[in-house]
Amino acid sequence: MVSRVRVWLNRTYAENVFFMDQLRRNPADRAVEIHATHGDPDSPVLAAADTAELEPEALSPAAYVEYALDQCRRRGIDVFVPRLHQSAIVAHRPEFEAAGTALLAPPPEAVAVFQDKVIAYEAAQAIGVPVPPWWRVRTADELVAAVEELEDGGHRACFKPASGAGGVGFRVVTRTPFALSHLNGFPSPYVPLDLAVAALRAAEEPVDWLVMPRLAEPEVSVDCLTGTDNRVRLAVGRTKNGRRRGFTLDERWLAPARRLAEGFGLHHLSNIQFRMYGERPVLMDVNTRPAGGLHQLSLCGINAPWAAVRLALGDDPGEIVPPFLGQDYTVVSGPRPLLPVPLPHLRPEPATPRPAPAVPAPAPAVEALPSQGAGQVTGVSGHPA
């Protein structure tokens, strides 16, 4: 009898409820139990998991590694998919392996290269992957100089943190003065240059921003699955042009993604994003983790999460070629269950009454079964429609 596989996702994106769904619907029909931890009790991944716990807050990276090792030992985790503190966790891979846990993440050297976008661009350029022009800025004067140089070349400037994920901090620079029009409608990523300069001059510390031209669509995210032998098993591009999404196997996008994944040892799942600079694709970003939209490859007949778990466990799936490319689609929000409040399935308290503590007790662990505890729903974006 084939044993069940125990998978843990830590403080991951809400969209990874679909990652979890695909693990359970694996083509081998193998039993999968999913453990999830998060700092937000209303994260839908907690309700989607078989077992779940609230994570302690404000742990240092080193303390979080100890917490993670304890989780793996107590929970019998076979495969750990780390997002929070990924860099610190992968540096302790031998300790997790000793606990019987495989890390579904690249080695520390690869994670380090792509934590900083400037280092990432320099490294990519060194192996022949096209990148856009960029400036690293820390002061108001450096920002103005970079923006003026881009505008002189006919480009619109944008900036984002040199390290970060998920588009947090991305802004497009405009020369339009701040006016009531900026307060009408929905908030936008556009920021007047004079306001950005004033904020920088008033700041007590320098920033660490990457200034670059605003790149044109289409945006192509290439999902890669790479073995520890540095050989790519899967590479499929997901295209985005406005609301319209689709898929591509065009080597203009796939070839540089493979070069990065194989050249830097981006083992297991990674996501490599490109956009257009003029007439050619250039690198935009590299994520050393599964993309939130990875489940969309199911429209091409691929279960990428399960293939990745197999690879992490030493069961090589071999080269994976999509049997077909799915039709164009868009994504919409849909309801997902949340755990009721208070959280259900708490560990039972001792039968003997105890006096109430003088200070609030820490949040107890949660044992949540998706079929049992849905009291509220939240919207999760990402369902293909």
Side-chain angles (χ1 to χ4, degrees):
M1 181 177 179
V2 179
S3 62
R4 61 152 170 84
V5 179
R6 187 86 161 124
V7 180
W8 173 27
L9 287 82
N10 77 329
R11 206 173 294 210
T12 192
Y13 302 112
E15 206 171 20
N16 273 335
V17 294
F18 306 125
F19 186 104
M20 299 158 75
D21 291 343
Q22 284 194 283
L23 288 181
R24 293 193 178 100
R25 295 196 302 263
N26 67 81
D29 200 27
R30 187 168 176 184
V32 176
E33 291 186 6
I34 300 174
H35 182 53
T37 58
H38 208 285
D40 179 3
D42 289 337
S43 169
V45 300
L46 296 181
D50 297 292
T51 61
E53 290 186 17
L54 291 176
E55 292 189 357
E57 294 295 335
L59 290 182
S60 68
Y64 194 92
V65 169
E66 291 304 314
Y67 162 79
L69 283 165
D70 178 67
Q71 288 281 314
C72 290
R73 294 183 185 117
R74 288 193 301 108
R75 295 288 184 173
I77 301 299
D78 298 301
V79 178
F80 177 20
V81 188
R83 189 201 67 81
L84 183 67
H85 293 312
Q86 185 192 64
S87 179
I89 288 165
V90 297
H92 291 265
R93 189 182 301 268
E95 295 165 57
F96 284 93
E97 290 176 347
T101 301
L103 295 181
L104 204 155
E109 299 82 7
V111 174
V113 168
F114 296 104
Q115 275 188 315
D116 184 298
K117 291 179 173 59
V118 170
I119 295 174
Y121 279 1
E122 291 172 342
Q125 198 168 29
I127 64 168
V129 173
V131 300
W134 80 90
W135 289 258
R136 188 171 209 156
V137 306
R138 292 183 169 86
T139 67
D141 291 340
E142 290 174 349
L143 174 64
V144 171
V147 169
E148 288 179 346
E149 190 163 345
L150 279 167
E151 290 177 342
D152 288 345
H155 302 288
R156 169 160 271 175
C158 62
F159 61 82
K160 56 186 176 182
S163 60
V168 174
F170 173 79
R171 297 292 185 273
V172 180
V173 176
T174 176
R175 296 281 187 165
T176 305
F178 187 78
L180 187 60
S181 59
H182 289 88
L183 302 178
N184 292 330
F186 294 103
S188 83
Y190 290 89
V191 59
L193 178 60
D194 59 337
L195 292 187
V197 168
L200 280 174
R201 296 199 191 284
E204 296 180 358
E205 298 179 356
V207 296
D208 189 9
W209 287 348
L210 193 70
V211 177
M212 55 193 292
R214 189 179 190 191
L215 303 174
E217 291 185 316
E219 179 178 318
V220 177
S221 293
V222 182
D223 294 307
C224 293
L225 175 63
T226 308
T228 55
D229 58 358
N230 292 346
R231 183 168 60 86
V232 171
R233 306 314 199 260
L234 166 71
V236 179
R238 291 183 287 112
T239 64
K240 178 181 177 182
N241 202 335
R243 292 179 62 114
R244 182 170 292 273
R245 312 291 177 93
F247 304 99
T248 181
L249 296 177
D250 190 327
E251 286 296 319
R252 291 190 307 159
W253 315 97
L254 269 56
R258 286 196 198 94
R259 196 175 309 149
L260 288 164
E262 295 175 346
F264 293 101
L266 290 172
H267 301 163
H268 304 292
L269 287 170
S270 60
N271 175 257
I272 303 170
Q273 300 171 355
F274 301 89
R275 276 198 173 216
M276 299 297 293
Y277 177 62
E279 298 299 316
R280 65 171 184 164
V282 294
L283 179 67
M284 185 170 70
D285 209 351
V286 176
N287 296 309
T288 59
R289 54 168 175 77
L294 181 69
H295 64 282
Q296 292 160 15
L297 294 186
S298 63
L299 295 177
C300 299
I302 293 174
N303 188 325
W306 178 245
V309 166
R310 285 182 59 191
L311 188 60
L313 292 173
D315 178 18
D316 196 332
E319 183 179 2
I320 301 171
V321 178
F324 53 86
L325 292 183
Q327 71 179 68
D328 286 359
Y329 64 101
T330 189
V331 294
V332 296
S333 294
R336 293 289 297 204
L338 291 180
L339 297 177
V341 180
L343 300 174
H345 307 297
L346 303 182
R347 298 190 190 282
E349 295 291 336
T352 305
R354 296 181 300 172
V359 295
V366 181
E367 300 289 347
L369 296 176
S371 61
Q372 297 180 5
Q376 296 175 296
V377 296
T378 187
V380 179
S381 177
H383 261 310

